[in-house]
Amino acid sequence: MKKSLGIFASLLVAATLMAASNSTAQTAPAAAESIDKPFIHPKWSGVWQGTLDGVPAVTLTLADDAGEANGTIVFHAIKNENGHAFSFSTEPHTLIQPRVNGIDGNTISFQVRRGNGSSEILNMAVELRNDGNVQFSCSNCGPEGTKAELDRVQ
């Protein structure tokens, strides 16, 4: 049943994209069109993790249980004392306004609220690579932003 629903969802997404491109072809070049939808493609359902000194530093979980992109990201503060790395603080976040972007749908952008009671919104994105891993970026997490490679773990 689960596989049938996945196939149905994929066909529905493909039909929607084909209909959008057909209507776009009459009014504008297809290259100008991009996906900016709250739904998630099955390739995005999963868990990715980045490590620092062999210890999990960030874990991103994405799913489409409600037919839309949703998920969580957890940041772990890492200390290295006497050659032993460990996590000393964990900060979980629910993704705010996750969106599948781009013509190929290989980027998801989202926001999270900075921790410790701050109201500051951080702008983040992940880009799916051919090997199934993702390039994570946060454009306003520090003066130069933040980038990290996350490996698919599930």
Side-chain angles (χ1 to χ4, degrees):
M1 178 72 174
K2 196 175 202 178
K3 185 175 181 179
S4 296
L5 287 175
I7 292 169
F8 175 75
S10 295
L11 291 173
L12 182 61
V13 168
T16 302
L17 292 174
M18 286 175 52
S21 69
N22 285 342
S23 65
T24 303
Q26 296 172 359
T27 58
E33 191 67 22
S34 72
I35 299 171
D36 185 14
K37 304 286 183 194
F39 68 82
I40 189 167
H41 187 279
K43 68 183 173 185
W44 279 110
S45 292
V47 179
W48 290 265
Q49 190 171 77
T51 60
L52 182 63
D53 293 333
V55 178
V58 60
T59 304
L60 173 68
T61 303
L62 296 171
D64 63 347
D65 294 343
E68 296 184 354
N70 55 57
T72 61
I73 191 164
V74 179
F75 297 103
H76 306 276
I78 308 297
K79 276 188 184 179
N80 193 326
E81 291 181 357
N82 301 322
H84 176 69
F86 61 94
S87 171
F88 69 92
S89 174
T90 300
E91 190 176 291
H93 296 274
T94 300
L95 305 185
I96 301 169
Q97 298 179 346
R99 307 291 283 183
V100 177
N101 306 105
I103 293 170
D104 58 6
N106 281 343
T107 302
I108 292 183
S109 60
F110 56 92
Q111 299 173 319
V112 300
R113 235 177 253 294
R114 187 179 289 279
N116 300 326
S118 173
S119 61
E120 182 182 3
I121 298 293
L122 301 173
N123 299 311
M124 302 181 176
V126 288
E127 182 177 353
L128 190 63
R129 298 183 343 195
N130 290 338
D131 62 3
N133 296 330
V134 298
Q135 173 71 41
F136 167 83
S137 64
C138 177
S139 62
N140 61 336
C141 293
E144 296 180 23
T146 300
K147 291 188 181 219
E149 295 288 327
L150 306 183
D151 297 324
R152 185 177 206 120
V153 294
Q154 185 177 13

mmCIF file of all heavy atoms in Angstrom, residues 16 19 25 43 60-61 117 124 142:
data_model
loop_
_atom_site.group_PDB
_atom_site.id
_atom_site.type_symbol
_atom_site.label_atom_id
_atom_site.label_comp_id
_atom_site.label_asym_id
_atom_site.label_seq_id
_atom_site.Cartn_x
_atom_site.Cartn_y
_atom_site.Cartn_z
ATOM 1 N N THR A 16 1.360 17.164 -12.605
ATOM 2 C CA THR A 16 1.258 18.581 -12.250
ATOM 3 C C THR A 16 2.355 19.378 -12.935
ATOM 4 O O THR A 16 2.111 20.445 -13.488
ATOM 5 C CB THR A 16 1.349 18.760 -10.726
ATOM 6 O OG1 THR A 16 0.312 17.995 -10.119
ATOM 7 C CG2 THR A 16 1.210 20.212 -10.329
ATOM 8 N N ALA A 19 1.655 19.646 -16.680
ATOM 9 C CA ALA A 19 0.591 20.615 -16.944
ATOM 10 C C ALA A 19 1.120 22.033 -16.787
ATOM 11 O O ALA A 19 0.821 22.913 -17.592
ATOM 12 C CB ALA A 19 -0.586 20.384 -15.997
ATOM 13 N N ALA A 25 4.717 27.072 -21.465
ATOM 14 C CA ALA A 25 5.280 27.122 -22.815
ATOM 15 C C ALA A 25 4.508 28.095 -23.695
ATOM 16 O O ALA A 25 5.059 28.676 -24.613
ATOM 17 C CB ALA A 25 5.271 25.725 -23.438
ATOM 18 N N LYS A 43 12.583 11.570 -3.151
ATOM 19 C CA LYS A 43 14.047 11.625 -2.993
ATOM 20 C C LYS A 43 14.452 12.451 -1.781
ATOM 21 O O LYS A 43 15.572 12.344 -1.302
ATOM 22 C CB LYS A 43 14.700 12.193 -4.256
ATOM 23 C CG LYS A 43 14.408 13.667 -4.527
ATOM 24 C CD LYS A 43 15.026 14.128 -5.826
ATOM 25 C CE LYS A 43 14.604 15.547 -6.182
ATOM 26 N NZ LYS A 43 15.101 15.943 -7.484
ATOM 27 N N LEU A 60 19.405 16.492 10.003
ATOM 28 C CA LEU A 60 18.253 17.004 9.266
ATOM 29 C C LEU A 60 17.349 15.831 8.926
ATOM 30 O O LEU A 60 17.801 14.829 8.369
ATOM 31 C CB LEU A 60 18.710 17.695 7.984
ATOM 32 C CG LEU A 60 17.616 18.141 7.015
ATOM 33 C CD1 LEU A 60 16.799 19.278 7.614
ATOM 34 C CD2 LEU A 60 18.226 18.556 5.687
ATOM 35 N N THR A 61 16.076 15.957 9.258
ATOM 36 C CA THR A 61 15.086 14.927 8.949
ATOM 37 C C THR A 61 13.980 15.563 8.115
ATOM 38 O O THR A 61 13.413 16.581 8.516
ATOM 39 C CB THR A 61 14.481 14.336 10.241
ATOM 40 O OG1 THR A 61 15.535 13.829 11.054
ATOM 41 C CG2 THR A 61 13.494 13.224 9.928
ATOM 42 N N GLY A 117 15.608 31.506 22.961
ATOM 43 C CA GLY A 117 14.530 32.481 23.076
ATOM 44 C C GLY A 117 14.614 33.656 22.116
ATOM 45 O O GLY A 117 13.830 34.583 22.207
ATOM 46 N N MET A 124 18.021 28.986 5.766
ATOM 47 C CA MET A 124 18.815 27.801 5.469
ATOM 48 C C MET A 124 18.336 27.141 4.187
ATOM 49 O O MET A 124 17.212 27.354 3.749
ATOM 50 C CB MET A 124 18.717 26.818 6.628
ATOM 51 C CG MET A 124 19.184 27.405 7.928
ATOM 52 S SD MET A 124 19.099 26.246 9.284
ATOM 53 C CE MET A 124 19.821 27.260 10.569
ATOM 54 N N GLY A 142 26.095 33.870 11.060
ATOM 55 C CA GLY A 142 27.446 34.401 11.192
ATOM 56 C C GLY A 142 27.776 35.320 10.038
ATOM 57 O O GLY A 142 27.046 35.385 9.043
#
